[in-house]
Amino acid sequence: MAYYRSVGEVPPKRHTQHRRPDGGLYYEELMGEEGFTSDSSLLYHRAIPSAIADASVWEVPDQSIAANHPLKPRHLKLHELFADNEWKAVDAVTGRRLVLGNGDVRISYVVAGSPSPLYRNALGDECVYIESGTGTVETVFGALTVGAGDYVILPRATTHRWVPGTDEPLRAYCIEANSHIAPAKRYLSRFGQLLEHAPFCERDLCGPVQPLLAEGTDVEVLVKHRGLGGEVAGTRYVYPTHPFDVVGWDGCLYPYVFNISDFEPITGRIHQPPPAHQVFEGEGFVICNFVPRKVDYHPLSIPVPYYHSNVDSDEVMFYCGGNYEARKGSGIGQGSISLHPGGHAHGPQPGAYERSIGIEFFDELAVMVDTFRPLGVGEGGFASEDPGYAWTWAGKAPRS
Ligand SMILES: [Fe+2]
């Protein structure tokens, strides 16, 4: 995120004295990526940011992943993971249920109505897509207001908490990387500006606008971090004072929000491949979205995708609005995931190919994650699976 931002009070010269009204010093923290050689920000704290008063084990929610074996396309109905009356007691951090994952990225889903504990992810950046609902993400950089269609990008190790609105559940699709998540590299100039051909620009990215100062003592923070074998581990810290004590910060590393409705789709006379729909990328995966758009206008075009075998990737579609044209007749609906793994050719459901001819506009909304290493299935994946999906193209199930 090479887009400079300055919020609150910062001294005119970095690494120099920044004094409180009472004459004492603020404590400068550099939060930087790739060992001082990539994006960073400087934050000025009222208290020493490394002061912890206690550390204990936090048992993270079930992170186990089982192989997709025998290899099958799968349909997961995420709305079935949470009962209608359950959400008010669930928070958007500890309530996440893991549906798919590998060594590069984990995808979970949560329907929340309670404020979360303070939390940070030390394994990698998070991209949390808000399917519906509203809320605030309070962070050490300031607060972000979030709502339906927002991608919330939270850099690795950003201390934050989720505060859902009270009127409706906050439905969040959480993409947790083991790396950084950034706009597709080909959208960026060599100095990091979003280029003219990119489907969004800096004006579409919303960062914190003022510091968020909170008071408190003995404040708990949950930290998700690397285990010895690369697994996800958890630690609960207690801070003597509240970690949201930053009076000002500046730099190019901070959380931000991008709304999917600000993505300007790239369309053509014939079918545009998924890279035309890309938004972000991390190590070992990309994030694309399919938004309402005018579709292919060649006189002989077939607007739904051709059948395709993604020989190098597993493809995960999260259907979050409209009616996805190519999946009609498969049972897939709002809140569904389809997993189409490498080694399996997939494409429109029977009839959709023919029906799409002559259609000029697709009213569909979907977020896609393509991974370059195989995805396994988490407990939330197995708990929400529609077992008949793999056989929907053939129209007949295996003999049992
Ligand atoms: Fe596909």
Side-chain angles (χ1 to χ4, degrees), residues 274 290 305-310 315 317 324 327 338 340 346-347 368 370:
F290 298 87
Y306 34 76
Y307 291 84
H308 46 290
S309 188
N310 300 343
E315 177 189 300
M317 293 281 277
Y324 199 78
R327 295 273 87 79
S338 62
H340 296 140
H346 68 277
M368 184 177 86
D370 265 19

Side-chain angles (χ1 to χ4, degrees), residues 55-305:
S56 56
V57 172
W58 167 39
E59 297 292 348
V60 294
D62 187 349
Q63 299 289 297
S64 59
I65 294 170
N68 180 11
H69 193 211
L71 187 72
K72 286 193 303 183
R74 293 175 188 266
H75 170 202
L76 314 178
K77 301 166 90 167
L78 301 190
H79 284 193
E80 294 187 357
L81 287 175
F82 294 86
D84 285 347
N85 55 1
E86 197 181 350
W87 61 275
K88 286 203 169 176
V90 173
D91 76 72
V93 170
T94 66
R96 294 179 188 181
R97 296 187 64 180
L98 184 68
V99 289
L100 296 167
N102 64 18
D104 297 317
V105 64
R106 291 167 302 283
I107 297 173
S108 60
Y109 186 71
V110 65
V111 184
S114 284
S116 80
L118 268 71
Y119 160 73
R120 64 175 172 265
N121 188 333
L123 287 108
D125 294 359
E126 294 192 356
C127 170
V128 179
Y129 178 79
I130 307 302
E131 180 193 352
S132 63
T134 59
T136 305
V137 187
E138 297 176 350
T139 85
V140 72
F141 293 88
L144 301 166
T145 301
V146 303
D150 281 339
Y151 291 101
V152 186
I153 303 292
L154 294 148
R156 177 187 273 162
T158 299
T159 303
H160 65 280
R161 74 170 188 146
W162 286 84
V163 183
T166 52
D167 296 342
E168 56 175 325
L170 182 76
R171 293 182 172 275
Y173 182 72
C174 311
I175 302 164
E176 299 179 15
N178 276 4
S179 59
H180 298 302
I181 298 174
K185 206 164 190 170
R186 68 177 188 284
Y187 294 159
L188 301 169
S189 78
R190 65 196 169 102
F191 299 112
Q193 184 176 6
L194 284 158
L195 294 165
E196 269 299 299
H197 73 270
F200 52 98
C201 81
E202 284 81 359
R203 291 184 197 179
D204 302 320
L205 311 179
C206 302
V209 293
Q210 60 186 27
L212 178 69
L213 291 165
E215 301 286 340
T217 53
D218 294 334
V219 180
E220 284 192 355
V221 179
L222 303 181
V223 182
K224 206 179 272 178
H225 58 89
R226 290 172 284 199
L228 198 55
E231 75 278 12
V232 179
T235 293
R236 177 184 288 102
Y237 284 138
V238 175
Y239 284 78
T241 55
H242 205 294
F244 294 165
D245 68 346
V246 171
V247 296
W249 61 269
D250 75 337
C252 295
L253 180 66
Y254 50 87
Y256 63 93
V257 171
F258 169 64
N259 192 277
I260 198 167
S261 64
D262 287 322
F263 184 94
E264 296 303 329
I266 295 165
T267 60
R269 281 189 9 122
I270 57 172
H271 194 74
Q272 297 297 298
H277 304 275
Q278 190 178 351
V279 194
F280 302 112
E281 62 194 13
E283 219 169 274
F285 69 97
V286 296
I287 301 173
C288 304
N289 51 214
F290 298 87
V291 301
R293 65 194 181 281
K294 177 181 176 64
V295 288
D296 319 347
Y297 47 91
H298 185 286
L300 296 177
S301 69
I302 300 174
V304 292

